[in-house]
Amino acid sequence: IMIWKNFKFKDLNFSDEVQIQLQQEQKYSYPLQNVDYKLQERTQTFLNENYHGGLLSSTLFGVRYFDFEGIAIGLEKEQRGILHQLLRTQLNIEANPQKNPYYNLFWLTDDNRPVFCKAKVTKAVDFKNALGDIRMPYDFQLASPSEKFYGVELKVLEKQLGSAGGTALSTPLWAALGGYGGEIVVENRGNRQAPIRLEVKGKCTNLKILNLTNSQKFRVEAITENFVYDNQNLDFLPNKELIVEDGEKNIKPLRSTGGQIFLEPWFNRLVVLTDNPSERANIKLLYRDTYA
């Protein structure tokens, strides 16, 4: 099985299993023959935006384009008509390009890990011959607003302030970091920095987040009860701003150290600190393995 046949977009499933079943039961199928997914040069991105009426934000730096080639197979003209309508409906540029929504695009990595990104149609499906032929080659293009893609599994780790793997943090670490905290050892199995969502529920005095693996740090000068730090956003769109909230109130202006926190590929040591050793807030980390 070729890995690039395992794409799914909207109501289309290009996997071998589904295509074989369609051909056997419905007498039609639309298998992919080739997929080229790559990053484009900045100038090419601008040309594409202009051609498609601003489909992609002009602030984007790392657009990834997916160029698909497939073949629609229908034994009878009726089946070919169904295929023609199905693909044109699912793979057409929507009416308002400025508000053209993104959809999940799923596929498998070379080692069979399910991943996804957000994508939209930037070149509508085009058929290479008429309905009179049993085989109808076709192509189309999707674009993602980020060069990164993500593991489908949303990974969740939970700890409590004052613990690291179930035991208290060592005094030398407290002294070195100047506070009291909880450590999370976390693995990003991708090959790019992974964004995170960190929730800290319970009273915390001057909360600080550190990734000891890459020396990134973030601190707010405030007493928080329901803290959220989120540079992930569920849409994975790069123009979304960092979220720093306490009980849904924006406390980003209270940060004294404003660097963002990301997980490096492989293992990371993430530490959450407060200035008060009696505090026992619960820490919840959410992330996805991140690839490019």
Side-chain angles (χ1 to χ4, degrees), residues 230-242:
D230 188 354
N231 60 11
Q232 174 172 277
N233 76 75
L234 295 179
D235 293 330
F236 295 114
L237 300 180
N239 56 345
K240 290 290 183 70
E241 291 187 0
L242 168 70

Side-chain angles (χ1 to χ4, degrees), residues 1-7 13-20 31-33 107-112:
I1 295 176
M2 298 299 288
I3 293 301
W4 40 257
K5 290 187 179 180
N6 291 281
F7 280 86
N13 187 330
F14 297 97
S15 67
D16 287 347
E17 180 182 0
V18 169
Q19 294 304 310
I20 291 171
L32 292 176
Q33 301 297 301
W107 72 99
L108 296 179
T109 64
D110 291 340
D111 55 355
N112 290 324

Side-chain angles (χ1 to χ4, degrees), residues 42 45 49 56-63 102 144-146 238-239:
R42 181 74 169 146
T45 300
E49 289 169 358
L56 298 168
S57 168
S58 60
T59 63
L60 302 182
F61 288 93
V63 177
Y102 290 90
S144 173
S146 171
N239 56 345

Side-chain angles (χ1 to χ4, degrees), residues 162 164 167-177 179 183 269:
T167 59
L169 290 173
S170 63
T171 302
L173 182 57
W174 297 347
L177 300 176
E183 181 184 44
R269 293 177 62 209

Side-chain angles (χ1 to χ4, degrees), residues 202-266:
K203 185 178 178 180
C204 291
T205 303
N206 300 332
L207 194 84
K208 181 187 287 187
I209 310 165
L210 302 99
N211 187 341
L212 302 181
T213 302
N214 58 17
S215 301
Q216 293 174 342
K217 56 186 177 181
F218 183 93
R219 180 181 172 92
V220 291
E221 298 288 343
I223 295 176
T224 58
E225 297 280 353
N226 193 5
F227 177 82
V228 173
Y229 172 96
D230 188 354
N231 60 11
Q232 174 172 277
N233 76 75
L234 295 179
D235 293 330
F236 295 114
L237 300 180
N239 56 345
K240 290 290 183 70
E241 291 187 0
L242 168 70
I243 295 172
V244 184
E245 296 179 339
D246 183 36
E248 299 185 354
K249 178 183 177 182
N250 179 22
I251 60 169
K252 198 185 302 183
L254 301 179
R255 56 186 173 176
S256 59
T257 303
Q260 291 205 42
I261 306 294
F262 291 92
L263 303 178
E264 298 294 332
W266 207 234

Side-chain angles (χ1 to χ4, degrees), residues 105-125:
L105 172 65
F106 295 95
W107 72 99
L108 296 179
T109 64
D110 291 340
D111 55 355
N112 290 324
R113 296 180 191 176
V115 297
F116 80 105
C117 69
K118 295 289 182 176
K120 64 172 62 173
V121 178
T122 45
K123 180 179 178 292
V125 66

